Amino acid sequence: MGRKRTKSGKIRLAEVAELAGVSPITASRFFRNPEALSVAKRTRVESAAKELGYVPNLAARALASQRTEVIGVLIPSLTNNVFSDVLRGIYDASEGSRYSIQLSNTRYSILQEEKLLRLFLAQKPAGLIVTGIDQTTESRAMLEAADCPIVQIMEIGPDPVDMMIGFSHYDAARAAVAHLFEQGRRRIGFVGARMDPRVQRRLDGYVSAMKDAGLFEQRLVVTTATPTSVTLGGALFTDLLAREPDLDAVFCANDDLALGVLFECRRREIAVPDQIAIVGFNDLEFMASAVPTLTSVRTNRYEMGRTAATMLIEAIDGRRPEQAVLDLGFKVIERQSSTSRHSDSRPSTSGAGAANKMVALPSSHD
Amino acid sequence: MGRKRTKSGKIRLAEVAELAGVSPITASRFFRNPEALSVAKRTRVESAAKELGYVPNLAARALASQRTEVIGVLIPSLTNNVFSDVLRGIYDASEGSRYSIQLSNTRYSILQEEKLLRLFLAQKPAGLIVTGIDQTTESRAMLEAADCPIVQIMEIGPDPVDMMIGFSHYDAARAAVAHLFEQGRRRIGFVGARMDPRVQRRLDGYVSAMKDAGLFEQRLVVTTATPTSVTLGGALFTDLLAREPDLDAVFCANDDLALGVLFECRRREIAVPDQIAIVGFNDLEFMASAVPTLTSVRTNRYEMGRTAATMLIEAIDGRRPEQAVLDLGFKVIERQSSTSRHSDSRPSTSGAGAANKMVALPSSHD
DNA sequence: GTCGTTGCTGGTAGCGCTGTCAACGTTCCT
DNA sequence: AGGAACGTTGACAGCGCTACCAGCAACGAC
């Protein structure tokens, strides 16, 4: 066997081709478009590759073909549970495909995002997943000019770069407030931390709903730029109470804050929901087992990530989805913290998931 | 809104070199080893690159240099908060370096890990970060044969493949139990979910501590293969109570379970810590603001990720750390849930962080 | 029979960068 | 002064793969 190899003994496509008795280019085609080969050569190449344990050199492939099999993902945070769910969806969907995920963290900075975008695009990714719709003008221009499919995730807006999947944070917040109105609450505070664009839109939704009811007051809103945490929820709630002692409900921009508010209520011996109702956002797992169980707005984060990656891969492979913009909606999961005002807030059995009333709304966006 | 293909104004190294008035190879050196250039050429190349907005083509670099600038990271889960902290550390440390992170999720399966490892190694990564010390024989062999630095993270053991950073879960569990003994607890239950090797070692530590005190009983241990959650904590605790009504403390394999136990106690009107003490593991942020505040074993997850990546990058660049094995230790953070047996468990102000007694131990491993 | 057409295959020519080594000029040593 | 040693630079030759286009047989349409 006069098969020649690299000094490192690595198996190249040429070796596979030689063993299979075909030209390198035919062997190459086998890996990219097997249908283009005659059955005879296809099986020959296949068994040769298996026999030699051939693994393609991705760098060479990328260089020669001028494109990579990398999907770039830009998210604002690695810590936030919300994004870890989205990521899990993305990774799950990418598994089994030939694409690999390149993740970068913008740290909630659109300038950082722009920088990373430039870096990513220079490597000609097969596709891109970016968070939100608030890019810099420059980023926007780069995205429009990019010759790869792009999915914007986490929210939906009027002017997609390409594809888009998410829901209306504005509508979701309005729905949460509407639920509190239904429960007879009037003096509803808003607690928010790290006011990224999506949290800002939740605040906008809250404000509009309150104004519609003639109940809005600026002092009902407490926000901070600090990253969110459970502890911070308690602190912000403390501020809110000091400003507005007659508070009868709190809408929290996320579930960590809501949990912090719940603990702070317990500390202060404020009855939930009798004195104060609490509504969170995202419906993390723990909301259903808190005491009392905590109302929240459920968002389909895993599904969002999974669908985004699936749509993207389909688009890369030339099968564009019929719908470029997908609204995943949300659901207000009504639980004890905002409903049973005069009932026992400490039932002896777990109330988790027990006959939760679900209000599903497709979010309408302008 | 179609994707328009822009004529890629591809800036190559050659263009930069031309503008700078040097040869391509000199320009190339500027990016890899600037010190090797004279100051004059260095500044010339630098400004030329900036002016043209040059971004190197990683695929070409990888092909020509026969190595990539990719650090492979294998972790068991994307969902688990513990790993998102570690990841954040890894990403933070990699930022600014020229290495990029390639992440894959083994889903707690060592077979999946083996498969991914094979995939990673075929692309000649610059370095590898793997979770834990329980690889398959095959994986272990591949790791030993790999010609790149490797860091094992999350725990330490007697036989590192290369570098190792973590702590002894066994010792940490023993310390937690010792703390409960100190507080006068005797009938201490163990609650664990998804018994991965590290949780298993915590259980081993618990068992050994209990046996040393002559207090171990099998029925005090409740575990399940189910993935962990707050809700599950409540459910497992319910099981435990049914088996052992005289329980006076619970050591939870992680903080989510501990929070679930706390909520379940509240539901059942079991006083914490008066009737039952609770100790968690990892010291997630919310532990400090729960009511009562929850004792936990603090682990330096972010630091672990950060240090692992830093060590790895240094090793890749030829500067091996003096210590190949790093024990980051742990601390038992004593809070209300396990200490003030006869004091008020619901103070009117937040007890978070207030004079917590910290017991720091370097974990000793054999 | 000639001309496409289709299906499959192969040759050639790079993709953009870096490893290697040779060739400088300069400085330092003996 | 002669040579070695050093620091700096450039020419050349690929890295392993694929885009592009040409070739060729088999087939049908006119």
Side-chain angles (χ1 to χ4, degrees), chain A residues 21-39:
Chain A
V22 298
S23 71
I25 189 65
T26 299
S28 167
R29 266 192 279 266
F30 168 75
F31 292 100
R32 289 173 296 147
N33 185 17
E35 282 74 33
L37 299 200
S38 63
V39 182

Side-chain angles (χ1 to χ4, degrees), chain A residues 12-13 28 32 54 60-61 64 67:
Chain A
R12 307 199 305 294
L13 195 53
S28 167
R32 289 173 296 147
Y54 171 71
R61 178 180 289 179
R67 57 194 157 70

Side-chain angles (χ1 to χ4, degrees), chain B residues 19-293:
Chain B
L19 180 61
V22 300
S23 72
I25 188 67
T26 301
S28 167
R29 266 191 280 264
F30 168 77
F31 293 100
R32 289 173 297 147
N33 185 18
E35 283 74 32
L37 299 201
S38 63
V39 181
K41 305 227 163 176
R42 197 185 309 170
T43 50
R44 289 237 296 285
V45 175
E46 184 166 22
S47 61
K50 185 173 285 177
E51 188 181 329
L52 296 173
Y54 171 72
V55 181
N57 181 322
L58 266 34
R61 180 179 287 179
L63 181 59
S65 66
Q66 294 287 69
R67 56 194 159 73
T68 61
E69 289 174 345
V70 170
I71 292 174
V73 178
L74 288 174
I75 55 165
S77 162
L78 280 170
T79 321
N80 196 322
N81 290 340
V82 168
F83 291 107
S84 64
D85 286 339
V86 175
L87 266 187
R88 196 160 45 86
I90 292 175
Y91 272 93
D92 280 3
S94 76
E95 218 160 85
S97 85
R98 66 176 184 285
Y99 299 98
S100 66
I101 302 298
Q102 190 65 51
L103 181 65
S104 257
N105 178 350
T106 65
R107 299 159 192 270
Y108 291 99
S109 151
I110 54 172
L111 288 173
Q112 177 71 6
E113 183 184 54
E114 182 181 314
K115 206 176 119 196
L116 291 169
L117 207 47
R118 203 182 309 279
L119 222 62
F120 272 29
L121 286 171
Q123 300 308 324
K124 305 187 188 173
L128 229 38
I129 296 178
V130 299
T131 302
I133 57 180
D134 303 271
Q135 282 80 28
T136 62
T137 323
E138 182 72 11
S139 293
R140 175 83 194 191
M142 285 192 283
L143 288 172
E144 308 243 299
D147 68 342
C148 67
I150 291 162
V151 185
Q152 289 166 288
I153 59 169
M154 297 309 290
E155 55 181 319
I156 50 177
D159 189 21
V161 171
D162 183 5
M163 291 171 283
M164 192 174 258
I165 180 165
F167 63 94
S168 165
H169 293 253
Y170 183 91
D171 291 351
R174 283 186 61 95
V177 175
H179 159 68
L180 286 167
F181 286 158
E182 275 170 30
Q183 302 296 318
R185 309 290 169 160
R186 313 293 286 168
R187 308 204 63 75
I188 304 168
F190 179 94
V191 167
R194 188 172 46 254
M195 302 303 289
D196 72 59
R198 287 160 294 286
V199 175
Q200 186 60 52
R201 277 187 262 278
R202 286 174 218 157
L203 173 55
D204 293 346
Y206 158 86
V207 170
S208 85
M210 292 293 280
K211 282 192 173 161
D212 286 357
L215 293 170
F216 179 69
E217 290 183 54
Q218 189 56 53
R219 65 173 179 192
L220 287 168
V221 175
V222 179
T223 63
T224 167
T226 315
T228 188
S229 73
V230 177
T231 308
L232 187 60
L236 295 178
F237 176 63
T238 300
D239 287 358
L240 183 58
L241 262 190
R243 293 192 197 179
E244 176 57 53
D246 292 337
L247 206 67
D248 64 8
V250 190
F251 172 41
C252 302
N254 68 50
D255 288 342
D256 284 346
L257 295 174
L259 184 60
V261 171
L262 176 65
F263 283 138
E264 191 61 36
C265 285
R266 180 114 167 82
R267 227 167 258 128
R268 295 170 177 271
E269 299 186 347
I270 293 171
V272 176
D274 289 16
Q275 260 181 279
I276 287 191
I278 302 175
V279 174
F281 201 98
N282 282 324
D283 197 31
L284 298 186
E285 183 265 334
F286 62 75
M287 300 296 272
S289 47
V291 182
T293 57

Side-chain angles (χ1 to χ4, degrees), chain B residues 299-333:
Chain B
T299 58
N300 306 302
R301 298 176 300 283
Y302 175 80
E303 206 49 48
M304 194 182 310
R306 198 178 163 79
T307 311
T310 306
M311 282 168 73
L312 188 66
I313 290 173
E314 299 250 299
I316 294 168
D317 293 347
R319 301 188 301 280
R320 291 196 70 81
E322 59 271 26
Q323 288 211 50
V325 178
L326 220 58
D327 185 345
L328 254 38
F330 54 83
K331 285 174 185 165
V332 178
I333 309 291

